[in-house]
Amino acid sequence: DTGVSQDPRHKITKRGQNVTFRCDPISEHNRLYWYRQTLGQGPEFLTYFQNEAQLEKSRLLSDRFSAERPKGSFSTLEIQRTEQGDSAMYLCASSSPDSVGALKQYFGPGTRLTVT
Amino acid sequence: AQSVTQPDIHITVSEGASLELRCNYSYGATPYLFWYVQSPGQGLQLLLKYFSGDTLVQGIKGFEAEFKRSQSSFNLRKPSVHWSDAAEYFCAVGYTDKLIFGTGTRLQVFP
């Protein structure tokens, strides 16, 4: 069990640029989640996948955000035309397939995005 | 709506003292409850969880939590805090396959 990994760990970008983050879940986990954490707040749910299917998206996920999990393994989160309000820690988590186990989520170290 | 409240933003304790972090939830059904810890620059690590059964649950690093349905609470406790416990602690409730987190409590430990 190598844990959930995320790349990059830090990203500094200028307003208006596009950024993409990657998450590699624990290999046997078929569920993958994205959360966003701003300073002084707890993580907030953005979206999640079961295998390749994106099953739910939060209203926080504006049209500038898109997430994919093309082969049911790693996932990418892209933010287009970044705004300063997008500055946050983006956390990825994965969990096992069973109904209760899906809630036992293992988190990666996060990608800290700073938009200047 | 489902929500989690952590009333204490910041708590300071001396090393060796006991600790209790408060968590209250709002949820219509039997909740699935969690405590996570986040060290600076790190992701979230699961300390313990409550799904059903015994309302006193044991976790890692000597932590425990007690589910009290009548008070809608799931407080985290540790009998003797170590300096390495300094971190941010998040309570969460599981809702339709996702987690809803509180705003966290920052724990500072003095020697």
Side-chain angles (χ1 to χ4, degrees), chain A residues 9 31 33 35 37 40-43 45 48 56 89 91 99-109, chain B residues 32 34 36 38 41-46 49 51 88 90 94-104:
Chain A
R9 294 290 304 275
R31 290 195 173 196
Y33 302 78
Y35 291 82
Q37 184 179 19
Q41 299 297 317
F45 169 80
Y48 89 96
E56 186 174 348
M89 175 80 88
L91 295 165
S99 59
V100 175
L103 291 172
K104 189 178 175 183
Q105 296 175 17
Y106 295 83
F107 283 80
Chain B
Y32 297 136
F34 305 79
Y36 282 85
Q38 186 176 38
Q42 302 298 312
L44 296 160
Q45 182 182 22
L46 180 65
K49 63 188 185 299
F51 285 171
E88 185 121 24
F90 292 95
Y95 173 67
T96 61
D97 297 334
K98 59 185 175 285
L99 297 174
I100 298 173
F101 287 86
T103 52

Side-chain angles (χ1 to χ4, degrees), chain A residues 13-59:
Chain A
T13 191
K14 293 185 178 180
R15 185 164 49 95
Q17 297 295 303
N18 299 344
V19 295
T20 300
F21 311 141
R22 175 178 170 130
C23 171
D24 287 88
I26 293 170
S27 57
E28 63 268 26
H29 286 177
N30 73 339
R31 290 195 173 196
L32 187 148
Y33 302 78
W34 287 98
Y35 291 82
R36 181 173 68 186
Q37 184 179 19
T38 54
L39 205 59
Q41 299 297 317
E44 295 174 292
F45 169 80
L46 292 178
T47 188
Y48 89 96
F49 294 84
Q50 179 165 298
N51 300 314
E52 307 87 4
Q54 189 173 17
L55 296 187
E56 186 174 348
K57 293 193 292 185
S58 162
R59 56 180 172 77

Side-chain angles (χ1 to χ4, degrees), chain A residues 73-101:
Chain A
S73 56
F74 72 91
S75 175
T76 58
L77 178 68
E78 180 183 17
I79 309 174
Q80 297 182 328
R81 304 181 304 280
T82 53
E83 301 172 355
Q84 287 188 323
D86 297 331
S87 295
M89 175 80 88
Y90 290 84
L91 295 165
C92 176
S94 69
S95 67
S96 63
D98 68 88
S99 59
V100 175

Side-chain angles (χ1 to χ4, degrees), chain B residues 53-66:
Chain B
D54 192 345
T55 56
L56 184 64
V57 294
Q58 302 297 319
I60 62 171
K61 305 185 179 186
F63 286 93
E64 67 177 26
E66 186 171 12

